[in-house]
């Protein structure tokens, strides 16, 4: 059997009891190491699980999947994923490869940023398509993610923005993690003088950790805020229910509480 096991939001103890029991009985245990980033080290997981973990980078999962699946028809193999196993489409590909090889699979789900963002008070069923915001370079400044944000906003839907990291790349420099402030600055450049600059957004950092941080405000306010260490995510709001407004006020600065108001019973503006 191939087991795809979600590890949750990154703490060593976020794995489910069922997932941990399976990890301890498998012949090999792979740790997927590129679609998300652990907040604890591989060694800490090995100590808690009582098992050696084999790192599986993008090349292995996408180009050498047969190595992961080897022997899974006669023994149990675990594939560990930060968050939930189906937060990345490459893991669907791994399942299809397993089935084509006559290998059965089972999924052990867990929390991921895709549902944990509800902690800021925005209702999950009011979210549209998720987007990724990447680091710009001198020669590469993609803006296509904004088209999806605008499409969501036109329908009154919130947008979860997953922020870039270089930690999974095979490059000889310290890993970089995009912050909420950096993402807000990129959006401000795209928007320039448009009214959307005053859209209420939410910055989230280290969700699920004891020191998680949430801050609501306009793009310009978030561009100057420091939410601390990684990982960061950002939400661009759509139409807001009054309960969502009340929740967002819990995460705005004291000066912001006095200036935010509701209009048209649905849109939160300054």
């Amino acid at each position: 059997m191939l087991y795809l096991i979600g590890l949750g939001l990154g703490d060593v103890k976020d794995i489910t009891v069922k997932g941990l029991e399976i990890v301890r009985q498998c012949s090999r245990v792979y740790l997927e190491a590129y679609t998300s980033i652990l907040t604890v080290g591989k060694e800490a997981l090995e100590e808690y699980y009582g098992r050696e973990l084999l790192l599986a980078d993008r090349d292995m999962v996408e180009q050498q999947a047969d190595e992961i699946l080897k022997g899974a028809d006669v023994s149990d193999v675990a594939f560990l994923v930060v968050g939930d196993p189906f937060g990345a489409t490459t893991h669907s590909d791994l399942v299809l490869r397993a089935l084509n090889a006559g290998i059965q699979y089972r999924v052990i789900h867990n929390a991921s940023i895709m549902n944990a963002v509800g902690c800021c008070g925005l209702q999950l069923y009011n979210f549209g398509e998720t987007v990724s915001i990447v680091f710009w370079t001198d020669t590469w400044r993609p803006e296509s993610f904004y088209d999806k944000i605008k499409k969501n906003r036109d329908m009154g839907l919130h947008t979860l923005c997953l922020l870039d990291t270089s930690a999974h790349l095979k490059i000889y420099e310290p890993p970089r993690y995009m912050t909420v402030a950096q993402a807000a600055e990129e959006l401000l450049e795209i928007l320039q003088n448009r009214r959307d600059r005053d859209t209420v957004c939410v910055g989230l950092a280290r969700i699920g950790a004891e020191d998680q941080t949430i801050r609501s405000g306009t793009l310009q306010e978030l561009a100057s805020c420091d939410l601390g260490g990684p990982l960061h995510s950002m939400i661009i709001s759509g139409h807001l229910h009054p309960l969502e407004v009340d929740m967002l006020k819990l995460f705005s600065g004291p000066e912001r509480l006095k200036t935010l108001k509701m209009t048209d019973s649905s849109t939160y503006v300054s």
Side-chain angles (χ1 to χ4, degrees):
M1 180 80 73
L2 171 67
Y3 290 95
L4 293 91
I5 302 175
L7 299 184
L9 295 168
D11 184 84
V12 68
K13 295 183 179 180
D14 283 347
I15 190 171
T16 64
V17 173
K18 183 186 297 183
L20 183 58
E21 290 175 347
I22 292 171
V23 164
R24 289 175 173 168
Q25 75 183 29
C26 285
S27 60
R28 297 195 314 281
V29 183
Y30 291 92
L31 174 62
E32 187 261 59
Y34 66 93
T35 58
S36 189
I37 307 298
L38 284 166
T39 57
V40 295
K42 168 176 170 285
E43 295 75 15
L45 294 182
E46 289 178 324
E47 181 179 355
Y48 187 71
Y49 300 165
R51 292 299 311 273
E52 177 188 6
L53 303 182
L54 305 172
L55 284 181
D57 60 15
R58 182 184 294 274
D59 288 343
M60 172 175 277
V61 178
E62 297 183 356
Q63 307 299 328
Q64 304 170 41
D66 290 345
E67 182 67 25
I68 297 173
L69 299 176
K70 184 178 179 180
D73 55 338
V74 294
S75 63
D76 292 333
V77 174
F79 184 74
L80 310 183
V81 182
V82 179
D84 187 82
F86 286 110
T89 55
T90 47
H91 305 139
S92 297
D93 180 68
L94 185 62
V95 165
L96 293 174
R97 288 171 182 264
L99 292 176
N100 287 336
I103 298 168
Q104 296 300 305
Y105 77 96
R106 183 180 176 192
V107 180
I108 309 300
H109 292 286
N110 210 322
S112 78
I113 191 63
M114 302 291 286
N115 56 11
V117 294
C119 66
C120 74
L122 297 183
Q123 298 167 12
L124 293 179
Y125 55 78
N126 288 337
F127 278 77
E129 184 176 357
T130 299
V131 306
S132 296
I133 300 180
V134 300
F135 284 114
W136 280 351
T137 69
D138 293 338
T139 57
W140 188 59
R141 299 165 67 87
E143 298 183 1
S144 56
F145 63 86
Y146 175 71
D147 296 333
K148 296 179 181 179
I149 293 173
K150 185 177 186 307
K151 181 179 178 181
N152 285 341
R153 281 184 52 76
D154 288 345
M155 295 186 291
L157 300 176
H158 313 314
T159 305
L160 171 61
C161 303
L162 304 178
L163 308 188
D164 200 7
T165 170
S166 69
H168 62 282
L169 301 177
K170 294 181 178 179
I171 54 178
Y172 298 100
E173 62 179 44
R176 294 190 301 157
Y177 304 93
M178 180 177 283
T179 66
V180 165
Q182 290 170 320
E185 287 175 357
E186 285 192 9
L187 275 167
L188 286 171
E189 282 200 43
I190 294 172
L191 293 170
Q192 294 183 355
N193 295 321
R194 301 184 197 181
R195 184 175 179 274
D196 289 27
R197 293 166 68 92
D198 290 328
T199 298
V200 169
C201 304
V202 185
L204 308 102
R206 302 171 304 285
I207 295 303
E210 291 185 4
D211 65 341
Q212 76 172 27
T213 300
I214 303 172
R215 175 70 187 271
S216 66
T218 66
L219 275 176
Q220 295 214 251
E221 289 170 332
L222 292 186
S224 61
C225 74
D226 180 3
L227 299 185
L231 291 171
H232 289 198
S233 303
M234 185 166 68
I235 300 170
I236 313 299
S237 71
H239 294 318
L240 290 165
H241 185 278
L243 288 178
E244 293 179 308
V245 173
D246 289 341
M247 284 296 295
L248 288 185
K249 286 180 178 179
L250 299 178
F251 307 113
S252 61
E255 71 288 347
R256 187 67 180 158
L257 270 171
K258 300 174 183 178
T259 59
L260 290 172
K261 59 183 180 180
M262 287 283 291
T263 65
D264 301 329
S265 73
S266 60
T267 306
Y268 198 29
V269 300
S270 57

